[in-house]
Amino acid sequence: MAADYDNDGYPDLYVANQNGQGFLYHNNGDRTFTDITAAAGIHSPRFSFVALFFDYDNDGWPDLFITTYFASVEESVRSYLGLPLKAKRRSCIRT
């Protein structure tokens, strides 16, 4: 996913990782990128699945929305049987 989240004229990247931590890369404007995941405060979710940049709060700046997933045998069976799920649903939004 790419967006110019800091309005410097260069597209920055968020890389979702289905098998672990995702990464946010700042475009340095010289064909290199810096990993700023920790500096941006993105410590979760692990196992990110879909990520979007969009203006969540209508302030004119792209916000990062990251989704995650959790699969277990119990949750799969509960879903199949139409029972309520026990897994917590969370999202992570950073500006």
Side-chain angles (χ1 to χ4, degrees):
M1 187 57 43
D4 183 12
Y5 74 84
D6 58 356
N7 202 24
D8 65 359
Y10 300 101
D12 307 294
L13 302 174
Y14 179 78
V15 179
N17 184 355
Q18 205 169 358
N19 296 313
Q21 176 69 44
F23 300 95
L24 180 60
Y25 294 105
H26 178 263
N27 190 330
N28 299 320
D30 60 1
R31 299 183 182 157
T32 65
F33 290 83
T34 301
D35 180 355
I36 62 161
T37 308
I42 302 173
H43 304 291
S44 62
R46 293 190 57 79
F47 311 111
S48 54
F49 185 62
V50 175
L52 304 168
F53 280 105
F54 70 102
D55 190 5
Y56 174 79
D57 54 4
N58 294 319
D59 65 356
W61 293 84
D63 301 300
L64 179 56
F65 178 78
I66 306 167
T67 64
T68 188
Y69 69 94
F70 175 78
S72 71
V73 173
E74 179 185 2
E75 291 298 308
S76 297
V77 171
R78 293 181 73 77
S79 177
Y80 179 77
L81 295 174
L83 299 172
L85 302 177
K86 290 183 177 180
K88 294 181 182 180
R89 297 173 191 234
R90 278 184 356 169
S91 61
C92 178
I93 298 175
R94 305 280 187 229
T95 302

Coordinates of all heavy atoms in Angstrom, one line a residue:
M1 N 0.8 -1.2 0.0 CA 0.0 0.0 0.0 C 0.9 1.2 0.0 O 1.9 1.3 0.8 CB -0.9 -0.1 1.2 CG -1.9 1.0 1.3 SD -3.1 1.1 0.0 CE -3.6 -0.6 -0.4
A2 N 0.6 2.2 -0.8 CA 1.4 3.4 -0.9 C 0.6 4.7 -0.8 O -0.5 4.7 -1.3 CB 2.1 3.4 -2.3
A3 N 1.1 5.7 -0.1 CA 0.5 7.0 0.0 C 1.6 7.9 0.5 O 2.5 7.5 1.2 CB -0.7 6.9 1.0
D4 N 1.4 9.2 0.2 CA 2.3 10.2 0.7 C 1.8 10.7 2.1 O 1.2 11.8 2.1 CB 2.4 11.3 -0.3 CG 3.4 12.4 0.1 OD1 4.2 12.2 1.1 OD2 3.4 13.5 -0.5
Y5 N 2.0 10.0 3.1 CA 1.3 10.3 4.4 C 1.9 11.5 5.1 O 1.2 12.2 5.9 CB 1.4 9.1 5.4 CG 2.8 8.9 6.0 CD1 3.2 9.6 7.1 CD2 3.7 8.0 5.4 CE1 4.5 9.4 7.6 CE2 4.9 7.8 5.9 CZ 5.3 8.5 7.0 OH 6.6 8.4 7.5
D6 N 3.1 12.0 4.7 CA 3.7 13.2 5.3 C 3.8 14.4 4.4 O 4.3 15.4 4.7 CB 5.1 12.9 5.9 CG 6.1 12.3 4.8 OD1 5.6 12.1 3.7 OD2 7.2 12.1 5.1
N7 N 3.1 14.2 3.2 CA 3.0 15.3 2.2 C 4.3 15.9 1.8 O 4.4 17.1 1.6 CB 2.0 16.4 2.8 CG 1.4 17.2 1.7 OD1 1.3 16.8 0.6 ND2 1.0 18.4 2.1
D8 N 5.3 15.1 1.6 CA 6.6 15.6 1.1 C 6.8 15.4 -0.4 O 7.9 15.7 -0.9 CB 7.8 14.9 1.9 CG 7.9 13.4 1.7 OD1 7.1 12.8 0.9 OD2 8.8 12.8 2.3
G9 N 5.8 14.8 -1.0 CA 5.8 14.7 -2.5 C 6.3 13.3 -2.9 O 6.4 13.0 -4.1
Y10 N 6.6 12.4 -2.0 CA 7.1 11.1 -2.3 C 6.2 10.0 -1.7 O 5.9 10.1 -0.5 CB 8.5 10.9 -1.8 CG 9.5 11.9 -2.4 CD1 9.9 13.0 -1.7 CD2 10.0 11.7 -3.7 CE1 10.8 13.9 -2.2 CE2 10.9 12.6 -4.2 CZ 11.3 13.7 -3.5 OH 12.2 14.6 -4.0
P11 N 5.8 9.0 -2.4 CA 4.9 8.0 -1.9 C 5.7 7.1 -0.9 O 6.8 6.6 -1.1 CB 4.5 7.2 -3.1 CG 5.6 7.4 -4.1 CD 6.1 8.8 -3.9
D12 N 5.1 6.9 0.3 CA 5.6 6.1 1.3 C 4.9 4.7 1.3 O 3.8 4.6 0.6 CB 5.4 6.7 2.7 CG 6.0 8.1 2.7 OD1 7.2 8.3 2.6 OD2 5.2 9.1 2.8
L13 N 5.4 3.7 1.9 CA 4.9 2.3 1.7 C 4.6 1.7 3.1 O 5.3 1.8 4.0 CB 5.9 1.4 1.0 CG 6.4 1.8 -0.3 CD1 7.5 0.9 -0.8 CD2 5.2 1.8 -1.3
Y14 N 3.4 1.0 3.1 CA 3.2 0.1 4.2 C 3.1 -1.3 3.6 O 2.4 -1.5 2.6 CB 1.9 0.4 5.0 CG 1.6 -0.6 6.1 CD1 2.3 -0.5 7.3 CD2 0.8 -1.7 5.9 CE1 2.2 -1.5 8.3 CE2 0.6 -2.7 6.9 CZ 1.4 -2.6 8.1 OH 1.2 -3.5 9.0
V15 N 3.9 -2.3 4.2 CA 3.9 -3.6 3.7 C 3.2 -4.5 4.7 O 3.7 -4.7 5.8 CB 5.3 -4.1 3.4 CG1 5.3 -5.5 2.9 CG2 6.0 -3.2 2.4
A16 N 2.0 -5.0 4.4 CA 1.3 -6.0 5.3 C 2.0 -7.3 5.2 O 2.5 -7.7 4.1 CB -0.1 -6.1 4.8
N17 N 2.0 -8.0 6.3 CA 2.7 -9.3 6.4 C 1.8 -10.3 7.0 O 1.5 -10.2 8.2 CB 4.0 -9.2 7.2 CG 4.8 -10.4 7.2 OD1 4.4 -11.4 6.7 ND2 6.0 -10.4 7.8
Q18 N 1.3 -11.2 6.2 CA 0.4 -12.2 6.7 C 1.0 -13.2 7.7 O 0.3 -13.9 8.4 CB -0.2 -13.0 5.5 CG -1.5 -13.6 5.7 CD -2.1 -14.1 4.4 OE1 -1.5 -14.0 3.3 NE2 -3.3 -14.7 4.5
N19 N 2.3 -13.2 7.8 CA 3.0 -14.2 8.7 C 3.8 -13.5 9.8 O 4.6 -14.1 10.4 CB 4.0 -15.0 7.9 CG 3.3 -15.9 6.9 OD1 2.3 -16.6 7.2 ND2 3.7 -15.9 5.7
G20 N 3.5 -12.2 10.1 CA 4.2 -11.5 11.2 C 3.9 -10.0 11.1 O 2.9 -9.6 10.7
Q21 N 4.9 -9.3 11.6 CA 4.8 -7.8 11.7 C 4.8 -7.2 10.3 O 5.6 -7.5 9.5 CB 6.0 -7.3 12.6 CG 6.0 -5.8 12.7 CD 4.9 -5.2 13.5 OE1 4.6 -5.8 14.6 NE2 4.3 -4.1 13.1
G22 N 4.0 -6.2 10.1 CA 4.0 -5.3 8.9 C 5.0 -4.2 9.1 O 5.6 -4.0 10.2
F23 N 5.4 -3.5 8.0 CA 6.4 -2.5 8.0 C 5.9 -1.2 7.4 O 5.3 -1.3 6.3 CB 7.7 -3.0 7.3 CG 8.2 -4.3 8.0 CD1 7.9 -5.5 7.5 CD2 9.1 -4.1 9.0 CE1 8.4 -6.7 8.1 CE2 9.6 -5.3 9.6 CZ 9.3 -6.5 9.2
L24 N 6.3 -0.1 8.0 CA 6.0 1.2 7.4 C 7.4 1.8 6.9 O 8.3 1.9 7.7 CB 5.4 2.1 8.4 CG 5.0 3.5 7.8 CD1 4.1 3.5 6.7 CD2 4.5 4.4 9.0
Y25 N 7.5 2.1 5.6 CA 8.7 2.7 5.1 C 8.5 4.1 4.6 O 7.6 4.4 3.8 CB 9.2 1.8 3.9 CG 9.6 0.4 4.3 CD1 8.8 -0.7 4.0 CD2 10.8 0.2 4.9 CE1 9.1 -2.0 4.3 CE2 11.2 -1.1 5.2 CZ 10.4 -2.2 4.9 OH 10.7 -3.4 5.3
H26 N 9.4 5.0 5.1 CA 9.3 6.4 4.6 C 10.2 6.5 3.4 O 11.4 6.1 3.4 CB 9.8 7.3 5.8 CG 9.9 8.7 5.3 ND1 11.0 9.4 4.9 CD2 8.9 9.6 5.3 CE1 10.7 10.6 4.6 NE2 9.4 10.8 4.8
N27 N 9.7 7.2 2.4 CA 10.4 7.4 1.2 C 11.4 8.6 1.4 O 10.9 9.7 1.7 CB 9.5 7.7 0.0 CG 10.1 7.8 -1.3 OD1 11.3 8.2 -1.5 ND2 9.4 7.5 -2.4
N28 N 12.7 8.4 1.2 CA 13.7 9.4 1.5 C 13.8 10.4 0.3 O 14.5 11.4 0.4 CB 15.0 8.8 1.8 CG 15.0 8.0 3.1 OD1 14.3 8.3 4.0 ND2 15.6 6.8 3.0
G29 N 13.2 10.1 -0.8 CA 13.2 11.0 -2.0 C 14.5 10.8 -2.8 O 14.7 11.5 -3.8
D30 N 15.3 9.8 -2.4 CA 16.5 9.6 -3.2 C 16.6 8.1 -3.6 O 17.7 7.5 -3.8 CB 17.8 9.9 -2.4 CG 17.9 9.2 -1.1 OD1 17.0 8.3 -0.8 OD2 18.8 9.4 -0.3
R31 N 15.4 7.5 -3.9 CA 15.3 6.1 -4.3 C 15.6 5.1 -3.1 O 15.9 4.0 -3.4 CB 16.1 5.8 -5.5 CG 15.7 6.6 -6.7 CD 16.5 6.2 -7.9 NE 16.1 7.0 -9.0 CZ 16.9 7.3 -10.1 NH1 18.0 6.7 -10.2 NH2 16.4 8.0 -11.0
T32 N 15.6 5.6 -1.9 CA 15.8 4.7 -0.7 C 14.7 4.9 0.2 O 14.0 6.0 0.2 CB 17.1 5.0 0.0 OG1 17.1 6.3 0.6 CG2 18.3 4.9 -0.9
F33 N 14.5 4.0 1.1 CA 13.4 4.0 2.1 C 14.0 3.7 3.5 O 15.0 3.0 3.6 CB 12.3 3.0 1.8 CG 11.5 3.3 0.6 CD1 12.0 3.0 -0.7 CD2 10.3 3.9 0.7 CE1 11.2 3.3 -1.8 CE2 9.5 4.2 -0.4 CZ 10.0 3.9 -1.7
T34 N 13.4 4.3 4.5 CA 13.8 4.1 5.9 C 12.6 3.4 6.6 O 11.5 3.8 6.5 CB 14.1 5.4 6.6 OG1 15.2 6.0 5.9 CG2 14.5 5.1 8.0
D35 N 12.9 2.3 7.3 CA 11.9 1.6 8.1 C 11.6 2.4 9.4 O 12.4 2.6 10.2 CB 12.5 0.2 8.5 CG 11.5 -0.6 9.4 OD1 10.4 -0.1 9.7 OD2 11.8 -1.8 9.7
I36 N 10.4 3.0 9.4 CA 10.0 3.8 10.6 C 8.8 3.2 11.3 O 8.1 3.9 12.0 CB 9.6 5.2 10.1 CG1 8.4 5.2 9.1 CG2 10.8 5.9 9.5 CD1 7.7 6.5 9.0
T37 N 8.7 1.8 11.2 CA 7.6 1.1 11.9 C 7.5 1.5 13.4 O 6.5 1.9 13.9 CB 7.7 -0.4 11.7 OG1 7.9 -0.6 10.3 CG2 6.5 -1.1 12.2
A38 N 8.6 1.3 14.1 CA 8.7 1.5 15.5 C 8.5 3.0 15.9 O 7.8 3.4 16.8 CB 9.9 1.0 16.1
A39 N 9.2 3.8 15.1 CA 9.1 5.3 15.4 C 7.7 5.8 15.2 O 7.3 6.8 15.8 CB 10.1 6.0 14.4
A40 N 6.9 5.2 14.3 CA 5.5 5.6 14.0 C 4.6 5.0 15.0 O 3.4 5.4 15.0 CB 5.1 5.2 12.6
G41 N 5.1 4.2 15.9 CA 4.2 3.6 16.9 C 3.4 2.4 16.5 O 2.4 2.1 17.1
I42 N 3.8 1.8 15.4 CA 3.0 0.7 14.8 C 3.7 -0.6 15.4 O 4.7 -1.1 14.8 CB 3.0 0.7 13.3 CG1 2.4 2.0 12.8 CG2 2.3 -0.5 12.8 CD1 2.5 2.2 11.3
H43 N 3.1 -1.1 16.5 CA 3.7 -2.3 17.1 C 2.7 -3.5 16.9 O 3.1 -4.6 17.2 CB 3.8 -2.1 18.6 CG 4.7 -0.9 18.9 ND1 6.1 -0.9 18.6 CD2 4.5 0.3 19.4 CE1 6.6 0.2 19.0 NE2 5.6 1.0 19.4
S44 N 1.6 -3.2 16.4 CA 0.6 -4.3 16.1 C -0.3 -3.8 14.9 O -0.2 -2.6 14.6 CB -0.3 -4.5 17.3 OG -1.0 -3.4 17.7
P45 N -1.0 -4.5 14.3 CA -1.3 -5.9 14.6 C -0.2 -6.8 13.9 O 0.3 -6.4 12.9 CB -2.6 -6.2 14.0 CG -2.7 -5.3 12.9 CD -1.9 -4.0 13.3
R46 N 0.1 -7.9 14.6 CA 0.9 -8.9 13.9 C -0.1 -9.6 13.0 O -1.3 -9.6 13.1 CB 1.5 -9.9 14.9 CG 2.5 -9.2 15.8 CD 3.3 -10.1 16.6 NE 4.0 -11.2 15.9 CZ 5.2 -11.0 15.2 NH1 5.7 -9.8 15.2 NH2 5.7 -12.0 14.6
F47 N 0.4 -10.3 12.0 CA -0.4 -11.0 11.0 C -1.4 -10.0 10.3 O -2.6 -10.3 10.2 CB -1.1 -12.2 11.6 CG -0.2 -13.0 12.5 CD1 -0.4 -13.1 13.8 CD2 0.7 -13.8 11.9 CE1 0.4 -13.8 14.6 CE2 1.6 -14.6 12.6 CZ 1.4 -14.6 14.0
S48 N -0.9 -8.9 9.8 CA -1.7 -8.0 9.1 C -2.2 -8.6 7.8 O -1.4 -9.4 7.1 CB -1.0 -6.6 8.9 OG 0.2 -6.8 8.2
F49 N -3.4 -8.3 7.4 CA -3.9 -8.9 6.2 C -4.2 -7.9 5.1 O -3.8 -8.0 4.0 CB -5.2 -9.7 6.6 CG -5.8 -10.5 5.5 CD1 -5.1 -11.5 4.8 CD2 -7.1 -10.2 5.0 CE1 -5.6 -12.2 3.8 CE2 -7.6 -10.9 4.0 CZ -6.9 -11.9 3.4
V50 N -5.0 -6.9 5.5 CA -5.4 -5.8 4.5 C -5.0 -4.5 5.2 O -5.3 -4.3 6.4 CB -6.9 -5.8 4.2 CG1 -7.2 -4.6 3.3 CG2 -7.3 -7.1 3.5
A51 N -4.4 -3.6 4.4 CA -4.0 -2.3 4.9 C -4.5 -1.3 3.9 O -4.4 -1.5 2.7 CB -2.5 -2.2 5.2
L52 N -4.9 -0.1 4.4 CA -5.4 0.9 3.5 C -4.9 2.3 4.0 O -4.9 2.5 5.2 CB -6.9 1.0 3.5 CG -7.7 -0.2 3.1 CD1 -9.2 0.0 3.4 CD2 -7.5 -0.5 1.6
F53 N -4.6 3.2 3.1 CA -4.4 4.6 3.5 C -5.6 5.3 3.0 O -6.1 5.2 1.9 CB -3.2 5.2 2.7 CG -1.9 4.9 3.3 CD1 -1.0 3.9 2.7 CD2 -1.4 5.5 4.4 CE1 0.2 3.7 3.2 CE2 -0.2 5.3 5.0 CZ 0.7 4.3 4.4
F54 N -6.3 6.0 3.9 CA -7.4 6.9 3.5 C -7.6 7.9 4.6 O -7.0 7.8 5.7 CB -8.7 6.1 3.3 CG -9.3 5.5 4.5 CD1 -10.4 6.0 5.1 CD2 -8.8 4.3 5.1 CE1 -11.0 5.5 6.3 CE2 -9.3 3.8 6.3 CZ -10.4 4.3 6.8
D55 N -8.3 8.9 4.3 CA -8.5 10.1 5.3 C -9.6 9.7 6.2 O -10.7 10.2 6.1 CB -8.7 11.4 4.5 CG -8.7 12.6 5.4 OD1 -8.3 12.4 6.6 OD2 -8.9 13.7 4.9
Y56 N -9.3 9.0 7.3 CA -10.3 8.5 8.2 C -11.0 9.7 8.9 O -12.2 9.7 9.1 CB -9.6 7.6 9.2 CG -10.5 7.2 10.4 CD1 -11.5 6.2 10.2 CD2 -10.4 7.8 11.6 CE1 -12.3 5.7 11.2 CE2 -11.2 7.4 12.7 CZ -12.2 6.4 12.5 OH -13.0 6.0 13.5
D57 N -10.2 10.7 9.4 CA -10.8 11.8 10.2 C -11.0 13.1 9.4 O -11.2 14.1 10.0 CB -9.9 12.0 11.4 CG -8.4 12.3 11.0 OD1 -8.1 12.3 9.8 OD2 -7.6 12.4 11.9
N58 N -11.0 13.0 8.1 CA -11.3 14.1 7.2 C -10.4 15.4 7.5 O -10.9 16.5 7.5 CB -12.7 14.5 7.3 CG -13.6 13.4 6.6 OD1 -13.2 12.9 5.6 ND2 -14.7 13.1 7.3
D59 N -9.1 15.1 7.8 CA -8.2 16.3 8.1 C -7.3 16.6 6.9 O -6.5 17.5 7.0 CB -7.4 16.0 9.4 CG -6.4 14.9 9.2 OD1 -6.4 14.2 8.2 OD2 -5.7 14.6 10.2
G60 N -7.5 15.9 5.8 CA -6.7 16.1 4.6 C -5.4 15.3 4.6 O -4.7 15.4 3.6
W61 N -5.1 14.5 5.6 CA -3.9 13.7 5.6 C -4.3 12.2 5.5 O -5.3 11.8 6.2 CB -3.2 13.9 6.9 CG -2.6 15.3 7.0 CD1 -3.2 16.4 7.4 CD2 -1.3 15.7 6.6 NE1 -2.4 17.5 7.4 CE2 -1.2 17.1 6.9 CE3 -0.2 15.0 6.1 CZ2 0.0 17.8 6.6 CZ3 1.0 15.7 5.9 CH2 1.1 17.1 6.1
P62 N -3.6 11.4 4.8 CA -3.9 10.0 4.7 C -3.6 9.3 6.1 O -2.6 9.5 6.7 CB -3.1 9.4 3.6 CG -2.1 10.4 3.2 CD -2.5 11.7 3.9
D63 N -4.6 8.5 6.6 CA -4.4 7.7 7.8 C -4.2 6.3 7.4 O -4.7 5.8 6.3 CB -5.6 7.8 8.7 CG -5.9 9.3 9.1 OD1 -5.0 9.8 9.7 OD2 -7.0 9.8 8.7
L64 N -3.5 5.5 8.2 CA -3.2 4.1 7.9 C -4.2 3.2 8.7 O -4.2 3.3 9.9 CB -1.8 3.8 8.2 CG -1.3 2.3 8.0 CD1 -1.5 1.9 6.6 CD2 0.2 2.2 8.4
F65 N -4.9 2.4 8.0 CA -5.9 1.4 8.6 C -5.3 0.0 8.3 O -5.1 -0.4 7.2 CB -7.3 1.6 8.0 CG -8.3 0.7 8.6 CD1 -8.8 0.9 9.8 CD2 -8.7 -0.4 7.8 CE1 -9.8 0.0 10.3 CE2 -9.6 -1.3 8.3 CZ -10.2 -1.1 9.5
I66 N -5.1 -0.7 9.4 CA -4.5 -2.1 9.3 C -5.5 -3.1 9.9 O -5.9 -2.9 11.0 CB -3.2 -2.2 10.0 CG1 -2.2 -1.1 9.5 CG2 -2.5 -3.5 9.8 CD1 -1.0 -0.9 10.4
T67 N -5.8 -4.1 9.1 CA -6.6 -5.2 9.7 C -5.8 -6.4 10.0 O -4.7 -6.6 9.5 CB -7.7 -5.6 8.7 OG1 -7.2 -6.1 7.5 CG2 -8.6 -4.4 8.4
T68 N -6.3 -7.3 10.8 CA -5.6 -8.5 11.1 C -6.6 -9.7 11.1 O -7.8 -9.5 10.9 CB -4.9 -8.4 12.5 OG1 -4.1 -9.6 12.7 CG2 -5.9 -8.2 13.6
Y69 N -6.1 -10.8 11.3 CA -7.0 -12.0 11.4 C -6.5 -12.9 12.5 O -5.3 -12.9 12.9 CB -7.0 -12.7 10.0 CG -5.7 -13.4 9.7 CD1 -5.5 -14.7 10.0 CD2 -4.7 -12.7 9.1 CE1 -4.3 -15.4 9.8 CE2 -3.5 -13.3 8.8 CZ -3.3 -14.6 9.2 OH -2.1 -15.2 8.9
F70 N -7.4 -13.8 12.9 CA -7.0 -14.8 13.9 C -7.8 -16.0 13.5 O -9.1 -16.0 13.4 CB -7.3 -14.4 15.3 CG -7.1 -15.4 16.3 CD1 -5.8 -15.7 16.8 CD2 -8.1 -16.2 16.8 CE1 -5.6 -16.7 17.7 CE2 -7.9 -17.2 17.8 CZ -6.6 -17.4 18.2
A71 N -7.2 -17.1 13.4 CA -7.9 -18.4 13.0 C -7.5 -19.5 14.0 O -6.4 -19.7 14.3 CB -7.6 -18.8 11.6
S72 N -8.5 -20.1 14.5 CA -8.3 -21.3 15.4 C -9.4 -22.3 15.0 O -10.4 -22.0 14.4 CB -8.4 -20.9 16.9 OG -9.7 -20.6 17.2
V73 N -9.2 -23.5 15.5 CA -10.2 -24.5 15.2 C -11.5 -24.2 15.9 O -12.6 -24.3 15.3 CB -9.7 -25.9 15.7 CG1 -10.8 -27.0 15.6 CG2 -8.4 -26.3 14.9
E74 N -11.4 -23.7 17.1 CA -12.6 -23.3 17.9 C -13.4 -22.2 17.2 O -14.6 -22.3 17.0 CB -12.3 -22.9 19.3 CG -13.5 -22.5 20.1 CD -13.2 -22.0 21.5 OE1 -12.1 -21.8 21.8 OE2 -14.2 -21.6 22.1
E75 N -12.7 -21.2 16.7 CA -13.4 -20.1 16.1 C -14.0 -20.5 14.7 O -15.0 -20.1 14.4 CB -12.4 -18.9 15.9 CG -12.0 -18.2 17.2 CD -13.2 -17.6 17.9 OE1 -14.0 -16.8 17.3 OE2 -13.4 -17.9 19.1
S76 N -13.2 -21.4 14.0 CA -13.8 -21.9 12.8 C -15.1 -22.7 13.0 O -16.0 -22.5 12.2 CB -12.7 -22.7 12.1 OG -11.6 -22.0 11.7
V77 N -15.1 -23.5 14.0 CA -16.3 -24.3 14.3 C -17.4 -23.4 14.7 O -18.6 -23.6 14.3 CB -16.0 -25.4 15.3 CG1 -17.2 -26.1 15.8 CG2 -15.0 -26.4 14.8
R78 N -17.1 -22.4 15.6 CA -18.2 -21.5 16.0 C -18.8 -20.8 14.9 O -20.0 -20.6 14.8 CB -17.6 -20.6 17.1 CG -17.2 -21.2 18.4 CD -16.6 -20.2 19.4 NE -17.7 -19.4 20.0 CZ -18.5 -19.8 20.9 NH1 -18.4 -21.0 21.4 NH2 -19.5 -19.0 21.4
S79 N -17.9 -20.3 13.9 CA -18.4 -19.6 12.8 C -19.3 -20.5 11.9 O -20.4 -20.2 11.5 CB -17.2 -19.1 11.9 OG -17.7 -18.5 10.8
Y80 N -18.8 -21.8 11.7 CA -19.6 -22.7 10.9 C -21.0 -23.0 11.5 O -22.0 -23.2 10.8 CB -18.8 -24.0 10.7 CG -19.5 -25.1 9.9 CD1 -19.5 -25.0 8.5 CD2 -20.1 -26.2 10.5 CE1 -20.2 -26.0 7.8 CE2 -20.7 -27.1 9.8 CZ -20.8 -27.0 8.4 OH -21.4 -28.0 7.7
L81 N -21.0 -23.1 12.8 CA -22.3 -23.4 13.5 C -23.1 -22.2 13.7 O -24.2 -22.3 14.3 CB -22.0 -24.1 14.9 CG -21.3 -25.5 14.8 CD1 -20.9 -26.0 16.2 CD2 -22.2 -26.5 14.1
G82 N -22.7 -21.1 13.4 CA -23.4 -19.8 13.6 C -23.4 -19.3 15.0 O -24.3 -18.5 15.4
L83 N -22.5 -19.8 15.8 CA -22.4 -19.3 17.2 C -21.6 -18.0 17.2 O -20.8 -17.7 16.3 CB -21.7 -20.4 18.0 CG -22.4 -21.7 18.1 CD1 -21.5 -22.8 18.8 CD2 -23.7 -21.6 18.8
P84 N -21.8 -17.2 18.3 CA -21.0 -16.0 18.4 C -19.5 -16.3 18.5 O -19.1 -17.3 19.2 CB -21.5 -15.3 19.6 CG -22.4 -16.2 20.3 CD -22.7 -17.4 19.4
L85 N -18.7 -15.5 17.9 CA -17.2 -15.6 18.0 C -16.7 -15.1 19.3 O -17.2 -14.1 19.9 CB -16.5 -14.9 16.8 CG -17.0 -15.4 15.4 CD1 -16.3 -14.6 14.4 CD2 -16.7 -16.9 15.2
K86 N -15.6 -15.7 19.8 CA -15.0 -15.3 21.0 C -13.8 -14.3 20.8 O -13.3 -13.6 21.6 CB -14.5 -16.5 21.8 CG -15.6 -17.3 22.4 CD -15.0 -18.4 23.3 CE -16.1 -19.2 24.0 NZ -15.5 -20.3 24.8
A87 N -13.2 -14.4 19.6 CA -12.0 -13.6 19.2 C -12.3 -12.2 19.3 O -13.4 -11.7 18.8 CB -11.5 -14.0 17.9
K88 N -11.4 -11.4 19.8 CA -11.6 -9.9 19.8 C -11.3 -9.3 18.5 O -10.3 -9.7 17.8 CB -10.7 -9.3 20.9 CG -11.1 -9.7 22.3 CD -10.2 -9.0 23.3 CE -10.5 -9.5 24.7 NZ -9.7 -8.9 25.7
R89 N -12.0 -8.4 18.1 CA -11.8 -7.7 16.8 C -11.1 -6.3 17.2 O -11.6 -5.6 18.0 CB -13.0 -7.5 16.0 CG -13.6 -8.8 15.6 CD -15.0 -8.6 15.0 NE -15.6 -9.9 14.9 CZ -16.0 -10.4 13.7 NH1 -16.0 -9.7 12.6 NH2 -16.6 -11.6 13.7
R90 N -10.0 -6.0 16.5 CA -9.3 -4.8 16.7 C -8.9 -4.2 15.4 O -8.6 -4.9 14.5 CB -8.0 -5.1 17.5 CG -8.0 -5.2 18.9 CD -6.7 -5.4 19.6 NE -5.5 -5.5 18.8 CZ -4.4 -5.4 19.4 NH1 -4.2 -5.2 20.6 NH2 -3.3 -5.5 18.6
S91 N -8.7 -2.9 15.4 CA -8.0 -2.3 14.3 C -7.0 -1.3 14.8 O -7.1 -0.9 15.9 CB -9.1 -1.6 13.4 OG -9.7 -0.6 14.1
C92 N -6.1 -0.9 14.0 CA -5.1 0.0 14.3 C -5.1 1.2 13.4 O -4.8 1.0 12.2 CB -3.7 -0.7 14.3 SG -2.3 0.3 14.7
I93 N -5.3 2.4 13.8 CA -5.3 3.5 13.0 C -4.3 4.5 13.5 O -4.2 4.9 14.6 CB -6.7 4.2 12.9 CG1 -7.7 3.2 12.4 CG2 -6.6 5.5 12.1 CD1 -9.1 3.7 12.4
R94 N -3.4 4.9 12.6 CA -2.3 5.8 12.9 C -2.3 6.9 11.9 O -2.5 6.7 10.7 CB -0.9 5.1 12.9 CG -0.8 3.9 13.8 CD -0.6 4.4 15.2 NE -0.3 3.2 16.0 CZ -0.9 2.9 17.1 NH1 -1.7 3.7 17.6 NH2 -0.6 1.8 17.8
T95 N -2.0 8.1 12.4 CA -1.9 9.3 11.5 C -0.4 9.6 11.2 O 0.4 9.4 12.1 CB -2.6 10.5 12.0 OG1 -3.9 10.2 12.3 CG2 -2.5 11.7 11.1

